[in-house]
Amino acid sequence: MIKIELPKPTVTITQREQERKEGELEIPSIYGFIDFHQIPRDKGGIFMFYNKNDELLFVGKARKIRQRIKKHFEDNVSPIIKHRDEVYKISVCVVDEAMDREIYETYAINTLKAKYNIDKVFYK
């Protein structure tokens, strides 16, 4: 049996209300998220979307994590297009190797039973 252990999240961001002082510019939010700058721009890894009850909604992987996560909120073909409003927390694990990302994504989808992943599902 192969033992796989998911890496600890490198970054976790949550939806939040923006606190603005008089004279400060408003940071544009994407579905309530204003901390995308904390997610590495040019790093690969896996990401997990959670709802307010900490249920895992979706797991994905990318060569450039920040761009891919933003696409899920902007794209018309994203698997979570109808569920974007449910996403409350995003956890990101930086994983450099493409093969490792593939393994971690498939493992997370199946052991944590991601609600909206339809590809790579073996537990149904």
Side-chain angles (χ1 to χ4, degrees):
M1 178 175 191
I2 298 171
K3 181 168 173 50
I4 299 171
E5 192 171 313
L6 287 172
K8 300 248 185 281
T10 310
V11 176
T12 298
I13 62 173
T14 56
Q15 279 185 348
R16 63 186 178 107
E17 293 294 318
Q18 185 176 345
E19 298 151 16
R20 224 174 68 201
K21 296 177 184 157
E22 195 171 320
E24 283 185 341
L25 293 175
E26 182 175 350
I27 300 170
S29 89
I30 300 173
Y31 280 85
F33 294 97
I34 60 173
D35 294 322
F36 278 107
H37 64 279
Q38 293 180 17
I39 299 170
R41 175 175 291 185
D42 293 325
K43 298 272 186 184
I46 62 168
F47 54 90
M48 295 169 270
F49 296 155
Y50 295 89
N51 65 14
K52 282 188 176 187
N53 300 324
D54 223 25
E55 289 178 289
L56 182 61
L57 301 176
F58 186 81
V59 179
K61 68 176 181 336
R63 284 183 302 124
K64 295 186 178 186
I65 310 170
R66 187 189 312 175
Q67 286 176 297
R68 186 67 190 109
I69 290 172
K70 281 185 171 182
K71 278 221 180 278
H72 275 289
F73 291 100
E74 298 166 349
D75 243 1
N76 288 332
V77 293
S78 169
I80 64 156
I81 191 167
K82 295 177 182 168
H83 312 287
R84 290 175 178 156
D85 292 334
E86 281 184 65
V87 179
Y88 177 74
K89 179 174 85 172
I90 302 170
S91 289
V92 173
C93 304
V94 172
V95 180
D96 293 325
E97 294 296 321
M99 182 63 75
D100 293 346
R101 289 192 296 264
E102 187 72 38
I103 291 167
Y104 286 139
E105 179 196 33
T106 304
Y107 181 77
I109 289 169
N110 288 284
T111 57
L112 304 175
K113 296 185 171 41
K115 192 173 180 179
Y116 298 125
N117 282 90
I118 50 173
D119 293 336
K120 302 179 186 175
V121 175
F122 301 116
Y123 62 86
K124 290 185 180 184

